[in-house]
Amino acid sequence: MPKSAMALLDESACSALSSCDATIPSVTMDLLERFAQVRDPRRAQWVTHPVAVVLALCAGAVVAGMRSFTAIAGWVTDTPTDLLVSVYARCGPAPTVPGPPSKATIWRVLTEVDAASVDAAIGAWLADRAPAPSTIPLSPNTSGSVDTGRVDTSRVDTATGIPEPVVLAVDGKTVRGAIDAEGNQVHLLAVTTHQHGLVLAQTEVGAKTNEIPMLPTLLDEMDITDTVITADALHTQRATARYLHDRKAEFVFCVKENQPTLFAYLNVLPWQDIPISHAQTDRGHGRITRRTLQVQSAPDDVPFPHVHQVFLLERYVTDVAGTPTSAVAVLGITSLTANRADAATLAGAVRGHWGIESLHWLRDTVYREDDSKVRTRSGPRIMAGLRNLAIGALRLAGRADIAEATRWASRRADRPFTILGLTT
């Protein structure tokens, strides 16, 4: 299997790692090395617990299902001494381990460190370990690391002979419990792999803006050449399409009434004369779902830039007795040409984007994110990032049942450390 997003350390990255002497012989950086690139806001003479250690211990606690600063501090306090010794030893020589960090130390680190740097460290660590062709290389970021490896994006579907593209979803989520003094809630925009649901990058959408102008900000941190970007209808914008074209990326967008001219144009195309190119029927969860997709080359006068194909996806749901319960029709556009994406590929891209909601559902159900009252400075975003890391690490470990996997991880203190690659 080809290696993914191989990280090559440049001079600035090595300098950033001077405080964390890793022992794993690998060309990719482990989690402690990634967290060592996060600048510590505390005064050096007062620091007993390196920022990399605190972040790593907090990550382990979240893998074990801890949801709050208090729960994280309690879990860290119960960490066996030998595991603490192992983690601290990899971040510089120390005659004795100072004991686990206190709740006050954990709170200070998680609310004061730069959230963008933490998200960059998490995204790079997940990208390093994701099986190809799910991942892409990350561009130089503010922490100084450089990922220059390329992922093999030329894998071919043996059934169709069409290369399988790397597909990424851009989607946003509000952390509903994180309300500031002005009543604003924290809203985060993230880019996630379709295949494994790994969050590669995340940014905060300020109260005075919205997701649309933040999409380029999010993707500017990544090399998205030859990838396919999916997003909900909010992002079906001409400026976004031009931005992705300029970055040599493709898009698959759904079209709704927020683009009235385009929606009206697609809605009156002669779909009744276009044959169904792809159909799929699924049975499960007490229902039967049939999806069909019709696709055709985009007319020359389609009122949207860089569109090569247009499609109509219909979804019919019945109960097991055959009684209809819902029917949905979705119009869409893509910059992918027919020789790069057939109907099955387009259907998979649309369905894969809908599936990204499972990540939000997991954060809300397993970690009770919307009930969290963490609201100080960078705290809400960093906690969301640690939840992304925990879910991604469990998925990379082969666990799709995240709730049960979290319970499993919580039953032995060494399991979260193993999942995160923190044991030697």
Side-chain angles (χ1 to χ4, degrees), residues 34 98 115 125 148 163 209 284 381:
R34 290 292 181 188
W125 186 84
T148 56
T209 185
R381 177 174 170 181

Side-chain angles (χ1 to χ4, degrees), residues 193-210:
T193 65
H194 273 226
Q195 187 175 4
H196 295 94
L198 308 178
V199 177
L200 301 184
Q202 181 174 261
T203 192
E204 186 168 349
V205 179
K208 296 183 179 180
T209 185
N210 59 63

Side-chain angles (χ1 to χ4, degrees), residues 284-349:
H285 304 287
R287 61 181 180 265
I288 301 171
T289 305
R290 175 174 169 79
R291 298 175 178 84
T292 65
L293 189 134
Q294 298 159 265
V295 61
Q296 68 168 9
S297 296
D300 293 336
D301 59 346
V302 62
F304 202 88
H306 309 301
V307 177
H308 288 112
Q309 297 186 88
V310 298
F311 60 86
L312 170 65
L313 187 147
E314 295 179 306
R315 182 180 63 192
Y316 302 95
V317 181
T318 68
D319 61 23
V320 291
T323 304
T325 59
S326 69
V328 177
V330 178
L331 293 164
I333 55 175
T334 180
S335 61
L336 290 162
T337 56
N339 66 334
R340 287 204 63 194
D342 62 0
T345 300
L346 295 178

Side-chain angles (χ1 to χ4, degrees), residues 250-305:
E250 310 290 353
F251 60 81
V252 177
F253 289 158
C254 294
V255 179
K256 293 184 178 179
E257 287 83 352
N258 65 314
Q259 290 288 337
T261 302
L262 178 61
F263 181 84
Y265 179 94
L266 297 178
N267 197 40
V268 299
L269 290 176
W271 296 108
Q272 67 278 6
D273 300 329
I274 300 172
I276 292 175
S277 304
H278 173 76
Q280 182 177 357
T281 302
D282 298 317
R283 185 185 183 103
H285 304 287
R287 61 181 180 265
I288 301 171
T289 305
R290 175 174 169 79
R291 298 175 178 84
T292 65
L293 189 134
Q294 298 159 265
V295 61
Q296 68 168 9
S297 296
D300 293 336
D301 59 346
V302 62
F304 202 88

